[in-house]
Amino acid sequence: MMNTKNTDQITVFKALADSVRLDIIEYLKHTDHEVSCGEVGKALNISKTSGSYHFKLLQEAGIITTRKEAREKYVSLNSKTFDKYVTNFYKNI
Amino acid sequence: MMNTKNTDQITVFKALADSVRLDIIEYLKHTDHEVSCGEVGKALNISKTSGSYHFKLLQEAGIITTRKEAREKYVSLNSKTFDKYVTNFYKNI
DNA sequence: TAAATAGTTCAAAAACCTTTGAACTATTTT
DNA sequence: AAAATAGTTCAAAGGTTTTTGAACTATTTA
């Protein structure tokens, strides 16, 4: 269980270390329907450029999964990543 | 359980989002005796100035507690912080 | 008392992250 | 076919974080 490089772990914590992204994560956790980037951006007052940047980081960290349908991109939380890198972090280091 | 500002949460994730600090945390988790900043710094090849900076951030995030004895500062992990802000993060947002 | 050791503080430099607006692609609606 | 909508990309600007060396305080050892 001893790490030597931690890069995925750091990518996840970096992705979580920002208020815009935490707001997005909360929004996704509390929503009961499939949501698009646009819906989240409007709800949280994030410009589309900035939203695009933050969704990309969340995706690269494995925190969200995305599905493109026509013009829209639907996003949802990937709970496996929380499990592996957040919830069990302390136990696993 | 709904957050509105998240500042402590972000301070914790920021503190965890760095490889030097993750190395320090691992070192503290795996050690069986009380350790000083100097011991950790030597073991991990961190300059004392840089060490001082990182220990300060970890302390401000509540991730370590410290005890000064004479010249030396002893550090240890504060598992309550992991409990509150890391292990239970996903459940609590 | 002088030298060594443990740590802190400061300012500068370097590296990294976030926001912005403009220009763009692709799809849908009128 | 033109206009509208959803999202991306780019470069520039601004902000934040990290590393560095020098100078510092406080304590201990020779």
Side-chain angles (χ1 to χ4, degrees):
Chain A
M1 255 160 191
M2 176 73 184
N3 264 340
T4 20
K5 274 249 107 240
N6 299 325
T7 64
D8 294 355
Q9 183 66 74
I10 292 168
T11 302
V12 170
F13 281 143
K14 276 199 172 136
L16 295 171
D18 176 88
S19 75
V20 173
R21 291 188 297 270
L22 284 188
D23 289 347
I24 291 172
I25 290 166
E26 276 186 41
Y27 188 90
L28 295 177
K29 177 102 191 290
H30 292 300
T31 203
D32 56 352
H33 60 290
E34 209 188 20
V35 291
S36 66
C37 293
E39 173 182 336
V40 181
K42 264 158 215 153
L44 303 176
N45 259 276
I46 306 164
S47 75
K48 65 184 184 156
T49 316
S50 177
S52 193
Y53 169 72
H54 289 294
F55 286 115
K56 189 172 156 222
L57 258 54
L58 289 169
Q59 183 168 205
E60 284 168 355
I63 288 171
I64 58 172
T65 55
T66 65
R67 178 174 83 74
K68 184 122 205 199
E69 184 178 329
R71 279 191 303 198
E72 317 193 42
K73 187 171 157 183
Y74 292 98
V75 294
S76 50
L77 288 180
N78 180 3
S79 64
K80 282 188 181 176
T81 295
F82 289 96
D83 236 55
K84 181 167 182 190
Y85 292 107
V86 186
T87 306
N88 288 294
F89 168 73
Y90 189 73
K91 180 191 297 171
N92 290 158
I93 51 171
Chain B
M1 252 158 194
M2 176 72 183
N3 263 341
T4 20
K5 270 240 115 247
N6 299 324
T7 65
D8 295 356
Q9 182 66 73
I10 291 169
T11 302
V12 170
F13 281 143
K14 275 195 173 144
L16 295 171
D18 176 89
S19 75
V20 173
R21 293 189 294 273
L22 284 188
D23 288 347
I24 292 172
I25 290 167
E26 276 187 41
Y27 188 90
L28 296 176
K29 176 102 191 291
H30 294 300
T31 204
D32 56 349
H33 61 289
E34 210 187 19
V35 292
S36 65
C37 293
E39 173 183 334
V40 181
K42 264 158 214 155
L44 303 177
N45 261 277
I46 305 164
S47 74
K48 65 184 182 156
T49 317
S50 175
S52 194
Y53 169 72
H54 289 293
F55 285 115
K56 189 173 156 222
L57 258 55
L58 288 170
Q59 183 168 204
E60 285 168 355
I63 288 171
I64 59 172
T65 56
T66 66
R67 179 173 80 75
K68 184 121 206 197
E69 183 177 327
R71 276 188 309 195
E72 312 189 49
K73 186 170 158 184
Y74 292 98
V75 294
S76 50
L77 289 180
N78 180 3
S79 63
K80 281 188 183 175
T81 296
F82 289 95
D83 237 55
K84 181 169 182 189
Y85 292 107
V86 185
T87 306
N88 288 294
F89 168 73
Y90 189 72
K91 181 192 297 170
N92 290 159
I93 51 171

